[in-house]
Amino acid sequence: MNLEQLEMTAQGMAAPGRGILAADESTPTIGKRFDTINTESTEENRRAYRDLLLTASGMEEYISGVIMYDETIRQSSDDGTPFPQLLSDKGVIPGIKVDMGAKALAGFDGEKVTEGLDGLRERLSEYYGLGARFAKWRAVITIGEDLPSYACVDVNTHALARYAALCQEADIVPIVEPEILMDGEHTIETSFETTVDVLSALFEALADMDVFLEGTILKPNMVLSGYDSSDQASVEEVAEATVTCFQRSVPAAVPGICFLSGGQSDILATEHLNAMNQLATEKPWKLSFSYGRALQAAALTAWRGEASNVAAAQSAFLHRAKCNGAATIGGYAPEMESA
Ligand code: 13P
């Protein structure tokens, strides 16, 4: 295990002005995204779509790393360059999703546990050979009446910690992602309490497994009102609640906190990140993004599966990447949207 390399990779992922593109949708999930633009999910269409994102000229100014799916990390650009090489040639760190998805948790209705630990050591070693220097594992926690259960939080944080230890053994930085879903009628206070509880359990599990925090990136949800709540917190309230939540539960040794967007509109996801970075309070970690939908929605709509729309899709992607890059240093302003 090379601690120095792990630390340098993690710092590079959370470098100011840049953030992570989550382009690791599984084949069923990218199929759902393609359905919205009436595009068939063939292997070639998936490759062409990822190609347009990864070859967008200048994306490396705002994007520090890209999370790929197993199929994508083995694919190549139009000119034959393998995607991981294309990325590292422009100073973007290649990453890989390694979990095998969230499955129903036996005995706990409505809750899930993420699978994929079996054989993970061997898969990580292969991914390292393919160029991956960081990985992602997503756990899913639901807020509801009497949810989440202790069991759900316990098994998911335990799995995240075992995954993280295996990654570091392979010199791969683990992104640990305990996603508390934003769906539901709950208040921002409930989201706050649940997020503090889950993150506290996560860092206890990581400590038990001797995970090197300086070589780890946290990918959390923001603390928001449930999407179906009648009382929606303001951007400032979200920023304040989210940062306070981390001050109470995320050790200062963690170099970067890179948010998921979780179904927020792309502009709101940018505004929230920007407001957090503008808060005048102690923030010992970098606050950045690891967005999927919030970085890709506009690009996907512009593309529509047509080669003739590639340039328009790339410019939509670069625009969102630029706005979010600015938000990582509190430098985003609404006027950027029309610039
Ligand atoms: P969203 O930003 O679309 O939530 O996706 C991020 C991600 O990678 C979830 O695992």
Side-chain angles (χ1 to χ4, degrees):
M1 182 157 74
N2 184 336
L3 299 184
E4 208 175 315
Q5 181 187 322
L6 288 169
E7 191 165 350
M8 274 184 55
T9 302
Q11 284 176 2
M13 290 161 70
R18 300 164 92 202
I20 296 168
L21 165 66
D24 61 328
E25 299 86 358
S26 65
T27 302
T29 301
I30 197 74
K32 283 188 222 152
R33 306 272 189 271
F34 280 11
D35 284 348
T36 66
I37 54 161
N38 293 319
T39 296
E40 200 188 341
S41 179
T42 60
E43 182 176 348
E44 173 50 25
N45 281 344
R46 295 191 293 271
R47 190 204 63 78
Y49 176 60
R50 268 68 181 248
D51 193 39
L52 84 80
L53 296 174
L54 305 195
T55 59
S57 171
M59 59 83 96
E60 62 275 19
E61 238 182 284
Y62 319 111
I63 302 295
S64 58
V66 175
I67 319 175
M68 290 174 280
Y69 184 57
D70 180 78
E71 177 184 86
T72 319
I73 199 173
R74 302 169 196 281
Q75 288 175 326
S76 298
S77 186
D78 288 344
D79 71 358
T81 312
F83 283 145
Q85 191 190 326
L86 175 96
L87 291 173
S88 41
D89 284 352
K90 42 185 186 181
V92 177
I93 309 170
I96 179 76
K97 184 230 295 291
V98 301
D99 68 66
M100 305 291 262
K103 308 287 161 65
L105 177 61
F108 292 84
D109 260 3
E111 300 202 284
K112 293 187 164 170
V113 60
T114 301
E115 299 189 345
L117 288 169
D118 289 353
L120 182 56
R121 175 177 277 129
E122 293 71 27
R123 289 196 291 127
L124 285 167
S125 145
E126 187 196 3
Y127 288 138
Y128 191 94
L130 289 168
R133 292 297 176 268
F134 72 92
K136 179 189 107 172
W137 178 290
R138 170 177 178 256
V140 182
I141 313 274
T142 304
I143 295 181
E145 209 181 321
D146 297 326
L147 298 188
S149 67
Y150 173 81
C152 175
V153 174
D154 189 47
V155 292
N156 276 295
T157 53
H158 178 81
L160 276 163
R162 285 191 57 200
Y163 141 82
L166 282 162
C167 284
Q168 294 189 336
E169 181 189 86
D171 293 329
I172 288 179
V173 168
I175 292 185
V176 290
E177 180 180 5
E179 175 172 3
I180 300 164
L181 297 176
M182 297 160 178
D183 308 81
E185 296 179 353
H186 55 269
T187 61
I188 188 170
E189 288 79 17
T190 301
S191 169
F192 180 90
E193 284 162 24
T194 310
T195 306
V196 169
D197 287 351
V198 169
L199 291 178
S200 304
L202 172 65
F203 283 100
E204 191 175 336
L206 294 174
D208 286 347
M209 223 59 80
D210 274 345
V211 171
F212 176 56
L213 295 185
E214 289 82 347
T216 302
I217 294 289
L218 175 67
K219 175 164 176 167
N221 51 283
M222 295 181 188
V223 174
L224 307 180
S225 316
Y227 288 141
D228 300 325
S229 164
S230 53
D231 184 17
Q232 291 293 314
S234 68
V235 169
E236 287 66 33
E237 285 166 335
V238 166
E240 186 95 34
T242 306
V243 172
T244 305
C245 168
F246 298 155
Q247 287 171 331
R248 293 189 189 173
S249 55
V250 182
V254 173
I257 298 178
C258 300
F259 293 99
L260 59 97
S261 59
Q264 302 174 71
S265 79
D266 43 12
I267 292 181
L268 200 52
T270 307
E271 288 176 344
H272 283 148
L273 177 62
N274 190 58
M276 286 181 224
N277 279 308
Q278 285 186 342
L279 276 186
T281 181
E282 284 301 313
K283 285 168 287 182
W285 353 258
K286 300 284 185 304
L287 296 175
S288 183
F289 59 90
S290 174
Y291 294 160
R293 284 163 286 178
L295 273 174
Q296 295 183 50
L300 196 64
T301 311
W303 178 52
R304 301 206 157 273
E306 303 283 344
S308 55
N309 293 333
V310 163
Q314 288 180 322
S315 100
F317 166 56
L318 287 170
H319 172 70
R320 278 289 18 105
K322 182 178 185 176
C323 290
N324 284 304
T328 67
I329 49 173
Y332 167 78
E335 301 77 63
M336 283 180 76
E337 297 298 342
S338 45

